[in-house]
Amino acid sequence: MKVACIGMGWWSDVLADAIKRSGKLEIVSCYSRSKEKREKFAAKYGCTAARSYEEVLSSKSVEAIINTTPNAAHLETTLAAAKAGKPTFLDKPIANTIADARAITKACREANVVLALGYQRRRESHFRWIRANLQQFGKLVNAEANISRDRLGKVDLNSWRYTAEGMPGGVMLQIGIHYSDVLEYLIGPVKAVSGQFVRLVLPGDNPDVASLVLEHENGALSTLNASYASASEYYLMNLYGKEATAYYDMSSGLRFLKRGTSAPVTVPCPKNDPIVEELEEFARAARDETEPEMDGERATRSLAVVLAGIRSAKEGRRVEIAEILR
């Protein structure tokens, strides 16, 4: 499938590299408002640097759009793609507001074009193993998760990613949303959220440390911590059931403990390529061969979980997801 990449930044290159690894998609065009960025991207990936987004959308050689524009630009760019009949792969979050998320979803549905969201963490082999073996856990009761990165000295205050306007909720909307999604993927939908957000280390006006307590519809509780102020990159996900527990962290991999045993056993999980997998799924969906795992409706609900945490922190109270989705 021939695609155009729009919004040139570090993540556009991550997706473009994955496209190259796949071989099932081909980048034929790119566009950024910055002439320098689009020409640099075009030279690196061997595609045409379009002079305008309109030029991309009117091109018959472009079958679909890979959209890594800033969150606030998702509505305008995706609506234009839908109007032009171009399926869109949109990096998470779907938008900064529920209103924009719903408008994006509605436009793609009405135009009958595929909308897929980039939530690659849920596709990692250790989480796929847990999901496939949930019957061994019995009743799920609790989970704890942490997704942290070191951004000290690496923050560009001119980047929309590090501003309260461009990325509301800071670290939680930027990276925490990946693990709130994994928690819902494994435990089930979240009913309510209690949150705390602070800025402790990094400059600017956005939280660099955030914590959520998630109440799942099945009664289980989970906690999620996200940080840009840690000494290094770190990921942790422990899932507790009445009959078994899964322990995962990026250093030790996945371990599994069953009731009645004395120690967890290591679960071998071959390393997979989640970004390639989600892009290839998008290509199949665009050709009516499957449905995207993360579509507009699911991505809107995922956004609502983080927005509930932001409102909770601001108002000092527990916030239900239904309130955010009204």
Side-chain angles (χ1 to χ4, degrees), residues 5 8 12-13 16-17 20 27-32 34-50:
C5 296
M8 312 294 71
S12 64
D13 285 25
D17 289 341
K20 291 293 186 182
I27 304 170
V28 296
S29 181
C30 69
Y31 176 70
S32 167
S34 166
K35 182 180 179 182
E36 178 184 358
K37 286 184 178 181
R38 66 184 184 246
E39 290 184 347
K40 182 179 179 181
F41 184 94
K44 182 176 181 179
Y45 294 104
C47 64
T48 299

Side-chain angles (χ1 to χ4, degrees), residues 154-192:
K154 303 173 185 178
V155 173
D156 176 7
L157 293 181
N158 293 316
S159 169
W160 61 273
R161 295 179 186 273
Y162 298 103
T163 65
E165 180 181 4
M167 186 68 70
V171 65
M172 188 58 75
L173 186 59
Q174 176 61 27
I175 62 172
I177 194 171
H178 276 299
Y179 267 18
S180 65
D181 171 60
V182 172
L183 288 166
E184 289 202 288
Y185 174 64
L186 298 177
I187 304 176
V190 169
K191 177 182 179 181

